[in-house]
């Protein structure tokens, strides 16, 4: 069975056993930045195993942190379309919950999919959302590195993601993690009247191929 299909066919437990990077904390993380000393649990779920309450928490994070950016873009903001995308069969979630909270609500998350892009085997970051209170303390980078570690364990060629051009803070964040504009990112087009039209998003990628 091809690499991508074989990985996507695994159950959640088998996927964790096979591909969760052993050199990164899998279940707990203690932040010492904005949220000094608080311990968080990180779990993996699929689009079919995520609980209704966790699904709604993830959707709420997207809506609160990014709906205005979607609304200002050419794609627009559609809650229905976003919910449908969040249920794509091969989508998996890294869910972050505070161990100190009595309410086990998702406080941040990253979703990804093992898939093909232009014939390449990739791990595609669909969403990564943190509330303002959890930014700047290393959690976003930790989640990205966990995703990349999974991609390397699977053996894909690169990690990819899409980001709005207007989201300069996110672009700086990804650049700091060594993401660069992908060769398949849309290029500016010159219209018949000479006007240059640029896409309002950019596709970034990072090679995950290990030397040797």
């Amino acid at each position: 069975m091809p690499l991508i299909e074989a990985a996507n066919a695994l159950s959640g437990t088998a996927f964790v056993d096979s591909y969760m990077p052993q050199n990164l904390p899998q279940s707990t993380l203690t932040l010492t930045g904005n949220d000094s000393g608080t311990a968080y649990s990180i779990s993996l779920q699929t689009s079919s195993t995520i609980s209704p309450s966790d699904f709604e928490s993830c959707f709420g994070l997207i809506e609160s942190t990014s709906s205005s950016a979607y609304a200002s873009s050419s794609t627009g903001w559609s809650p229905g379309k976003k919910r449908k995308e969040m249920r794509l069969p091969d989508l998996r979630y890294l869910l972050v919950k505070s161990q100190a909270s009595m309410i086990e609500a998702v406080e941040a998350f990253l979703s990804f999919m093992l898939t093909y892009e232009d014939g390449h085997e990739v791990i595609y970051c669909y969403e990564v959302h943190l509330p303002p209170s959890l930014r700047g303390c290393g959690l976003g980078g930790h989640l990205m590195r966990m995703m990349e570690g999974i991609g390397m364990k699977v053996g894909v060629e690169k990690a990819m993601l899409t980001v709005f051009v207007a989201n300069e803070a996110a672009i700086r964040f990804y650049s700091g993690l060594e993401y660069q504009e992908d060769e398949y990112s849309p290029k500016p087009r010159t219209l018949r009247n000479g006007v240059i039209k640029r896409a309002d998003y950019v596709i970034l990628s990072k090679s995950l191929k290990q030397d040797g």
Side-chain angles (χ1 to χ4, degrees):
M1 184 181 293
L3 182 150
I4 295 295
E5 287 79 357
N8 284 334
L10 294 177
S11 67
T13 301
F15 190 94
V16 169
D17 291 342
S18 298
Y19 300 127
M20 288 291 277
Q22 299 299 313
N23 61 335
L24 288 174
Q26 294 180 32
S27 58
T28 60
L29 170 69
T30 301
L31 303 179
T32 56
N34 296 354
D35 206 78
S36 180
T38 299
Y40 290 85
S41 65
I42 302 176
S43 62
L44 185 139
Q45 297 291 336
T46 69
S47 60
S48 60
T49 63
I50 187 171
S51 70
S53 60
D54 286 350
F55 181 90
E56 290 303 322
S57 293
C58 290
F59 177 80
L61 278 167
I62 297 173
E63 190 170 43
S64 64
T65 62
S66 299
S67 61
S68 59
Y70 276 100
S72 301
S73 73
S74 58
T75 58
W77 170 246
S78 170
K81 288 182 180 179
K82 179 54 67 176
R83 288 177 181 276
K84 184 176 180 179
E85 178 186 86
M86 292 172 67
R87 288 295 189 187
L88 289 173
D90 295 326
L91 202 64
R92 295 179 188 266
Y93 291 80
L94 292 172
L95 305 178
V96 180
K97 298 182 179 181
S98 170
Q99 294 186 331
S101 174
M102 296 297 292
I103 304 173
E104 292 190 354
V106 174
E107 298 196 28
F109 80 96
L110 180 150
S111 60
F112 67 90
M113 183 185 293
L114 292 162
T115 186
Y116 297 95
E117 285 292 327
D118 298 293
H120 298 279
E121 296 168 332
V122 308
I123 187 165
Y124 210 108
C125 178
Y126 269 65
E127 310 276 357
V128 55
H129 293 276
L130 290 74
S133 62
L134 288 180
R135 294 173 189 171
C137 56
L139 177 58
H142 181 83
L143 290 172
M144 292 295 294
R145 287 189 293 273
M146 287 191 76
M147 180 198 72
E148 293 166 7
I150 291 169
M152 285 188 281
K153 282 274 191 176
V154 173
V156 301
E157 180 178 335
K158 56 186 176 180
M160 298 181 70
L161 58 91
T162 302
V163 61
F164 289 122
V165 172
N167 194 344
E168 297 178 354
I171 291 176
R172 287 194 299 271
F173 168 71
Y174 295 126
S175 177
L177 294 174
E178 302 181 347
Y179 282 79
Q180 300 179 341
E181 185 171 346
D182 189 78
E183 60 181 315
Y184 293 105
S185 187
K187 302 297 188 288
R189 296 185 294 115
T190 302
L191 305 181
R192 291 182 179 179
N193 60 3
V195 173
I196 297 177
K197 185 175 179 61
R198 293 180 170 84
D200 56 8
Y201 67 92
V202 62
I203 297 173
L204 304 179
S205 65
K206 176 181 179 178
S207 174
L208 297 182
K209 287 296 185 183
Q210 298 172 301
D211 295 336

